[in-house]
Amino acid sequence: MTVDQAPNRPLQLTADGQLRHFLTLDGLDRAMLTDILDTADSFIEVGERSIKKVPLLRGRTVVNLFFESSTRTRSTFELAAKRLSADVLNLDIRTSATSKGESLSDTLLNLEAMASDMFVVRHAQSGAPHFIAESVTPGVAIINAGDGRHAHPTQAMLDMLTIRQHKGGFEGLKVAIVGDVLHSRVARSQIRALNELGAAEVRVIAPDTLLPRDVESLGCTVEYDMQKGMKDLDVVIMLRLQKERMEGALLPSEREFYRLYGLDQAKLALAHPECIVMHPGPINRGVEIESAVADGPQSVILDQVTNGIAIRMAVMSMAMGGQMSERNQNLAGGEQA
Ligand code: CP
């Protein structure tokens, strides 16, 4: 299966519309996205307490399965699970039996045999979390922590939480996503979320070589000239150049890219004076963003990181709740039969 355009599946919802996996924002309506944001809002206060714990996942086992490197996503998933009182296992893929040739399916069967309740999966292959969700034991929740170029749904939701905190909502907002859209799972999920939540305009700004074919069909307008594209923006989201996914020369040089598409103070001055600056990280200073902007008063980049914990607490607790409610309904149905 190639899943750059993964099919829209009810796989992640229970029969009565609750989350049971979190794989993609496709197929999730505005009410569900708002419910995730509101639930995350309620968890922000937990992170401000001296004892940062609630018992929602007490006795549950969460396994972090990161087949690609990560700082922010992996750490905030781990903190989120611990703040929900779960037991957390971080499988080190480099020293696991994967390096001896064990298949993903066999690794999962063994982890399921240890009575795991949730797998948080990052994988270079688009569709890997869907594949796992299709075959996993009932009752085990799968959370997508970024798959290939396809989706990074918790990143997009923490970005939406950050925008809502700073802008009060989405109505009337003009948002631009700048840079390597072609290789970005983050951009795909952000465009989906912004459209569903009612942003006025989602603009992508990039050279043609860094845009997917038919990018407008994702729900955005296209601007090739960043000077023009910055006009009237309320939110600008910079993307990292994903060199590890680039095949062939898509850019003349990093220096030329920075001159044309790097966010420096002069380009930021073209946006609305209260425009906020976002970046999912890791940031490459002097490649896609100037340090003075990344560390400046309009930057909310570290707020995004903080919000990652609350969003991941929300998604994990909602998915576990959906799994439990489905199991109870199945038990009740079995008892009646
Ligand atoms: N934003 C993001 O996914 O960062 P990491 O690769 O560090 O997890």
Side-chain angles (χ1 to χ4, degrees):
M1 175 174 57
T2 73
V3 198
D4 279 354
Q5 296 88 34
N8 192 359
R9 300 166 190 213
L11 182 62
Q12 60 184 353
L13 298 176
T14 62
D16 60 356
Q18 297 182 60
L19 270 189
R20 61 183 188 131
H21 302 292
F22 193 60
L23 307 172
T24 171
L25 299 185
D26 294 350
L28 301 186
D29 62 13
R30 188 184 296 200
M32 174 61 83
L33 299 191
T34 304
D35 195 12
I36 293 169
L37 295 177
D38 292 345
T39 307
D41 258 342
S42 73
F43 285 130
I44 285 174
E45 176 268 325
V46 175
E48 292 162 356
R49 292 183 198 164
S50 58
I51 296 175
K52 301 175 179 58
K53 276 211 188 284
V54 287
L56 287 166
L57 292 193
R58 189 163 57 199
R60 302 281 174 185
T61 302
V62 174
V63 182
N64 276 331
L65 279 172
F66 278 63
F67 294 87
E68 272 190 340
S69 58
S70 166
T71 297
R72 283 145 289 272
T73 311
R74 180 172 160 163
S75 309
T76 52
F77 263 115
E78 181 173 352
L79 283 173
K82 287 179 171 168
R83 287 184 187 178
L84 291 167
S85 306
D87 297 319
V88 183
L89 175 65
N90 291 304
L91 194 73
D92 186 343
I93 300 299
R94 285 163 309 173
T95 55
S96 75
T98 306
S99 61
K100 298 180 193 165
E102 185 174 72
S103 71
L104 176 59
S105 300
D106 281 328
T107 301
L108 288 163
L109 283 173
N110 281 272
L111 291 167
E112 280 178 46
M114 299 173 205
S116 303
D117 297 292
M118 184 178 291
F119 294 126
V120 178
V121 182
R122 169 169 288 193
H123 205 285
Q125 182 67 46
S126 294
H130 285 81
F131 169 77
I132 296 167
E134 278 172 339
S135 56
V136 78
T137 307
V140 178
I142 307 300
I143 311 291
N144 184 357
D147 62 326
R149 299 184 193 185
H150 168 235
H152 197 346
T154 57
Q155 176 69 47
M157 291 309 295
L158 71 89
D159 295 334
M160 297 308 112
L161 186 63
T162 307
I163 292 173
R164 196 171 77 162
Q165 279 170 352
H166 286 272
K167 295 292 171 190
F170 298 90
E171 204 177 319
L173 282 190
K174 292 183 179 172
V175 182
I177 301 171
V178 184
D180 185 3
V181 181
L182 179 64
H183 301 100
S184 178
R185 54 195 175 208
V186 174
R188 283 170 177 76
S189 294
Q190 287 168 335
I191 293 168
R192 166 83 188 105
L194 286 163
N195 277 292
E196 188 63 37
L197 289 166
E201 186 187 345
V202 185
R203 213 177 278 177
V204 294
I205 306 174
D208 198 34
T209 49
L210 291 182
L211 291 171
R213 224 179 309 150
D214 299 328
V215 63
E216 292 96 336
S217 67
L218 298 176
C220 55
T221 58
V222 177
E223 178 56 67
Y224 301 103
D225 180 339
M226 190 159 173
Q227 310 275 341
K228 287 188 197 160
M230 290 300 293
K231 195 170 174 316
D232 300 329
L233 284 184
D234 301 294
V235 179
V236 57
I237 304 174
M238 301 305 296
L239 298 174
R240 181 175 68 87
L241 285 179
Q242 308 225 346
K243 284 183 266 181
E244 71 277 18
R245 296 189 211 284
M246 288 187 188
E247 290 158 15
L250 298 175
L251 296 170
S253 69
E254 279 183 5
R255 182 183 292 202
E256 187 64 358
F257 177 80
Y258 182 66
R259 188 178 71 79
L260 294 171
Y261 295 101
L263 186 61
D264 55 19
Q265 289 171 295
K267 293 198 196 86
L268 182 57
L270 301 171
H272 190 284
E274 291 181 11
C275 177
I276 57 170
V277 175
M278 303 177 70
H279 193 308
I283 64 173
N284 287 308
R285 294 167 186 263
V287 177
E288 67 259 351
I289 192 164
E290 185 185 10
S291 276
V293 173
D295 305 328
Q298 287 165 263
S299 171
V300 297
I301 293 171
L302 293 179
D303 293 357
Q304 292 172 259
V305 178
T306 306
N307 284 333
I309 302 174
I311 280 291
R312 287 165 179 141
M313 288 173 80
V315 166
M316 293 166 111
S317 56
M318 288 168 74
M320 208 68 255
Q323 292 283 357
M324 285 164 68
S325 125
E326 191 166 64
R327 200 182 65 167
N328 291 340
Q329 279 169 20
N330 288 344
L331 283 175
E335 279 161 13
Q336 279 164 17

